[in-house]
Amino acid sequence: MLKLLIATLLAAPMLSAQVVTANNCVHQVGDNPDWARPDFDDREWSKQIPASGDSPYVWTRCRVDLSSLPPTVPVHIGVRNLAPWELFVDGKLAGSFGDIRTGLGSTSSAQQAVPAGAVTGKTITLALRQLPIRLNRAFPTGLAAGAEDSLQVRNSARVSAMLRATWSRNIVGAFSLIIGVLLLLLYAFSGDRNRRELLWFGLYCLAIYSITLREIALTLSSFPYAISVFWYALSVAIFSLVSPRIFFALSGRPLPVFYSGLATANAGVILLAACVRVLTPIHGMQEVKPWLNLVVDIGPFLDLALQTSAAAAFWPLWRVPGPLRLARNLSLLVLLGSASFNVTQLPALGLSSWAILGASIQPILILAATIGLFIVIARRHRDVALDRAELQGEMKAAQEVQRLLTSSTSTLDAAPWASVEVAYSPANEVGGDFYYCRHTAEGQLVVVGDVSGKGLRAAMLASVALGALRHSSVSSPGPLLEGLNAALHGQTGGGFVTCCAALMRRDGRLVVANAGHPSPYVGGQEFPVEAGLPLGILPVSAYQESTGQGESITLVSDGVVEAENAQRELFGFDRTREISTKSAQEIADAAKAWGQNDDITVVTVRRLAP
Amino acid sequence: MVTPTKTKVEQNGDLVVMRFEGDITSASEEAVLGHYKSLAAGTTKILLDFTKVPYLNSSGIALVIQLMMAASKVPQKVLCFGLTPHFVKVFTMLGLARYTTLHADEAAARAAVQ
C-alpha cells in the first residue's frame, strides 16, 4: 500500500493529463435498453441523482471528450459506484460489476476499470445502468476515461486523499481496536465476571473499530453485499446493546428491564432490517424501503436517548477518586456530544452545516471520550485489583490464624491409649467447621461442629465455638453441648451450629450427644443418637446422651455426606457409612473426589491395645 | 450449579401451601422468609412443599428453621412434605420435632393437618 502511495505521488503529475473525468452527466429512474444508445435524446433527464422512482434501476449518461488523450493509448473507463452496474460505451456493453439482476453480488466503493473497446470518434457516450435499490441512498457515480495505468494512479490518489481526509476517523478506529482488545483481555484475565464495564466498554470500542474498518475495506476492496450489510448491522446492534450497559455497570447498578428491553429491541430491529434488506427481491424493495429508511432515521435518536438517560441518571452514582472526576465528567460530556451528532447525519436532514461540522468533529469527540473513559476504567480496575490483593492477604492471615487455632496441641489433645486422626479441608480460604479433642479424666473427648454458611463469618463463629470449648471444664457430652449452646446463642446471626460430642472411655464405652449434626459411626454402623436442636437457636436446650461400646468412633461434618458430583448426586449417608472404618484422610479424600462443595472434617478416635 | 429458588404460595382459608422449587441456600431468604412474612393474617397452618427442592445447604436449612421458629411464636402449625430421603434424615437429625412434622407427600400432610 505504501509503495502504491509513493508511486502515485511521483507519477500523478505525469499521468493526470491522460485521464478525462466525466462531467455534465444526467440521470433517469427506469430501465430501457434504448438508453444505452449514443443517439438517445437525454435532454429531459435530471442533472441530480433522483431519490427514488417506480423502477429499482437508475441510468446515468455522460458524454466524454477524448481529444485530450494520446490517440495510441487504449481507452479504459473507470467506474466507482457502490451499487451493481453495467457500463455501455457508445451503445455496447463494455463491462459490469456486482449482480445487476438481484443486487446481491459483490459491492465496493473502489474504482473498477473496464476496457472501452474500439473507440471511433473523439467523443464517446457512456451509459451506466445501476441498481441502487438496496442502498440507503444512491451513491454518487464516479466516471472517468483514460489509460488503464493512469486510471489506477488516479484511483490510488483518490484513496490516499480519502484516507487523509478521514485520518481522524481512522485514528479513532485504531485507538478503539487497541483499547477494546486491552479491555477484553483485562476482563478475561481479571477472573472477576462482575467487572462488566470492562466487557461492555471493550465491545463498544470494537464496534466503533468494526464500523471504521468496514468503510476502509469497502474503499480498498470488494466483498459480497450481504456481508457488507450484516457487518454494519451487527456492529451497530452491538453498539446499541452495550452503550447503555456501560453506564449502569460503571455505577454498579443492574440494568433495568426497560433499558435492556429497549436496547435489545433496537438491536433486533437493526438486524431484522438487515435481513429484509438482503432477502427482499428487488421488485419488493420499493414497498419496504420507507420502513428501512425509518429504522435508519429512528436508530440515532434511540441510541442518543438510551445513552443520555443512562448516563445522566447514573452520573452522580459513578464513584471515582477526586483527581479522576474531571476526566469522568469531560469524557461523559464529550461522549454525549458525540452521540448527539449522530442525529445531524440523518439523510432526511440533508447535508446541513451541522452535519458537516458533526462529521468532522465527531471522530475527535469519540476519541477523546474513549481515551477518557479508558483511563478512568483502567484506574478503577487497578484500585479494585489492589483492594482484592489486600483482601486476599487478610484472608490468608485469617486462614493462618484458623490453622493455628485448629492445629494447636490444646485442640488435639489425645489420650495415651487413644489414636486420634483428623482430616480438615475447608471449601474456601477459611472454614466454618471446627473440631476439638481433649484427654480428660473420664476419657477421650472429641467434638466436631459445623457453622451454617461458609467463609469468614462462619470461620469467626467457629473460632468463638472453639474458644468456648477450650474454656469449658465439662467433659460430659450432653452438658458440654448445653454450655456451648448458651455461649453461642445470640451470636449466630440467624444461623446455627450443628455439633456432635463424643466421650470414649478407656474401656471402650461411648457417650454421645448430638446437636443436629450427622450421627457418628462406630464399627462401620451409624451410632444411634437422640436428635437435638442445633446450637445457638434457643437460649436453653437440653441434649440427651446416648451410650454404647466400640473400639473406634468416626465423626464427620455434613461436607462429607453432602459432597456432590457433576450429576448433582450427593455422596450420601450410605456411602459414608460404608467407608466409615477407613482412616480420616481416606474418608475425606473420597468425599473430595466425589465433589467438595462445603467444608469437610473427619475425626477418628481408635482405642489402642493396652 | 445452584439453581435459584422460586416460591409459589397457595392460600386456602387459614391453610397455606408454600411450594419451593430449586435449591434452598443463603440466597433464598426472600423465597423462604420473604414469602412467609407476606402471608395473610389469620394463617394458622402452613405446608412446606419440598417436592421440587433437590438440595438445601446449611444456610438454607437455617432459613427454614427461622420460618418454623417464627411460626411457632404466632402460633402456626408447620408441616413439611416432599423431602428427599437424604433431607428427611437431615431434618430428623436436627431435632425439629417440636416445630414441624415430616410427611411423605401432600396428601399425608393435608390429612395430618386436619
Side-chain angles (χ1 to χ4, degrees), chain A residues 250-265:
Chain A
L250 281 171
S251 59
R253 298 296 172 100
L255 185 72
V257 177
F258 169 73
Y259 275 95
S260 63
L262 211 55
T264 307

Side-chain angles (χ1 to χ4, degrees), chain A residues 126-474:
Chain A
L126 303 179
L128 192 73
R129 183 188 180 214
Q130 310 156 60
L131 184 63
I133 189 72
R134 294 192 189 277
L135 305 176
N136 287 343
R137 51 191 160 187
F139 193 80
T141 303
L143 284 169
E148 187 179 14
D149 52 354
S150 304
L151 285 170
Q152 276 180 0
V153 169
R154 181 177 175 274
N155 185 55
S156 302
R158 186 191 68 81
V159 170
S160 143
M162 191 278 294
L163 290 176
R164 278 199 305 274
T166 56
W167 66 270
S168 54
R169 199 171 285 277
N170 300 335
I171 286 176
V172 171
F175 264 96
S176 299
L177 173 66
I178 294 167
I179 291 175
V181 169
L182 275 176
L183 288 167
L184 292 182
L185 285 175
L186 273 179
Y187 180 71
F189 292 106
S190 69
D192 184 355
R193 293 293 167 264
N194 292 322
R195 303 294 316 283
R196 292 288 172 84
E197 71 270 22
L198 298 174
L199 174 67
W200 300 138
F201 195 47
L203 289 173
Y204 175 92
C205 290
L206 290 188
I208 291 175
Y209 168 70
S210 175
I211 292 169
T212 312
L213 183 67
R214 175 183 168 275
E215 284 173 17
I216 295 173
L218 270 174
T219 309
L220 299 177
S221 173
S222 68
F223 40 86
Y225 175 77
I227 291 180
S228 165
V229 169
F230 281 111
W231 184 343
Y232 184 75
L234 206 58
S235 306
V236 175
I238 290 172
F239 192 88
S240 174
L241 276 175
V242 302
S243 54
R245 283 174 163 80
I246 297 170
F247 299 105
F248 284 92
L250 281 171
S251 59
R253 298 296 172 100
L255 185 72
V257 177
F258 169 73
Y259 275 95
S260 63
L262 211 55
T264 307
N266 190 30
V269 168
I270 289 166
L271 291 173
L272 182 68
C275 291
V276 170
R277 197 177 283 280
V278 169
L279 296 176
T280 308
I282 55 167
H283 293 290
M285 284 295 288
Q286 301 285 14
E287 282 74 42
V288 299
K289 204 156 180 191
W291 296 102
L292 293 175
N293 288 343
L294 195 63
V295 172
V296 173
D297 287 353
I298 289 178
F301 282 107
L302 201 55
D303 277 345
L304 180 63
L306 282 169
Q307 284 192 34
T308 310
S309 55
F314 288 90
W315 200 332
L317 295 171
W318 177 22
R319 306 267 178 224
V320 293
L324 290 177
R325 234 166 260 157
L326 182 64
R328 174 199 70 176
N329 295 346
L330 279 177
S331 56
L332 283 177
L333 267 177
V334 164
L335 193 69
L336 296 179
S338 149
S340 68
F341 274 120
N342 281 347
V343 178
T344 67
Q345 309 297 314
L346 294 178
L349 294 180
L351 204 63
S352 68
S353 54
W354 275 107
I356 295 166
L357 180 68
S360 56
I361 291 180
Q362 193 180 34
I364 308 295
L365 292 178
I366 292 175
L367 181 63
T370 306
I371 292 174
L373 279 173
F374 176 71
I375 290 170
V376 177
I377 287 175
R379 170 71 185 265
R380 198 170 116 132
H381 178 76
R382 193 197 66 173
D383 292 346
V384 169
L386 286 174
D387 287 348
R388 184 166 299 151
E390 194 176 334
L391 189 64
Q392 276 176 347
E394 287 175 8
M395 288 298 277
K396 280 275 178 202
Q399 188 180 21
E400 184 61 16
V401 168
Q402 191 174 45
R403 192 186 66 77
L404 289 170
L405 274 171
T406 53
S407 64
S408 65
T409 49
S410 60
T411 312
L412 250 179
D413 176 22
W417 47 266
S419 159
V420 177
E421 188 200 356
V422 175
Y424 174 70
S425 176
N428 299 322
E429 283 88 345
V430 289
D433 280 8
F434 61 91
Y435 60 90
Y436 176 73
C437 304
R438 186 180 359 133
H439 172 212
T440 71
E442 287 81 12
Q444 177 66 52
L445 177 69
V446 56
V447 179
V448 171
D450 174 15
V451 179
S452 63
K454 280 182 273 199
L456 202 54
R457 187 170 161 273
M460 291 173 74
L461 196 54
S463 300
V464 171
L466 268 177
L469 283 168
R470 282 207 179 115
H471 288 92
S472 170
S473 56
V474 180

Side-chain angles (χ1 to χ4, degrees), chain A residues 537-566:
Chain A
I537 292 179
L538 294 178
V540 178
S541 279
Y543 295 95
Q544 300 292 318
E545 290 182 340
S546 305
T547 57
Q549 182 80 25
E551 292 302 303
S552 69
I553 185 167
T554 301
L555 287 83
V556 301
S557 65
D558 65 354
V560 175
V561 292
E562 289 177 8
E564 193 178 66
N565 66 13

Side-chain angles (χ1 to χ4, degrees), chain B residues 11-78:
Chain B
Q11 180 105 32
N12 187 6
D14 63 347
L15 174 71
V16 163
V17 184
M18 293 178 71
R19 300 192 191 279
F20 302 117
E21 186 177 341
D23 296 329
I24 298 184
T25 64
S26 56
S28 311
E29 186 163 350
E30 179 57 31
V32 177
L33 296 178
H35 280 86
Y36 169 72
K37 286 171 188 165
S38 62
L39 293 183
T43 301
T44 58
K45 299 159 198 160
I46 301 169
L47 271 57
L48 304 182
D49 178 3
F50 294 97
T51 309
K52 293 181 179 172
V53 177
Y55 180 69
L56 300 94
N57 69 8
S58 56
S59 300
I61 292 172
L63 294 172
V64 176
I65 292 177
Q66 284 179 48
L67 183 157
M68 290 173 178
M69 295 189 67
S72 73
K73 288 176 186 164
V74 174
Q76 293 161 323
K77 194 173 181 181
V78 178

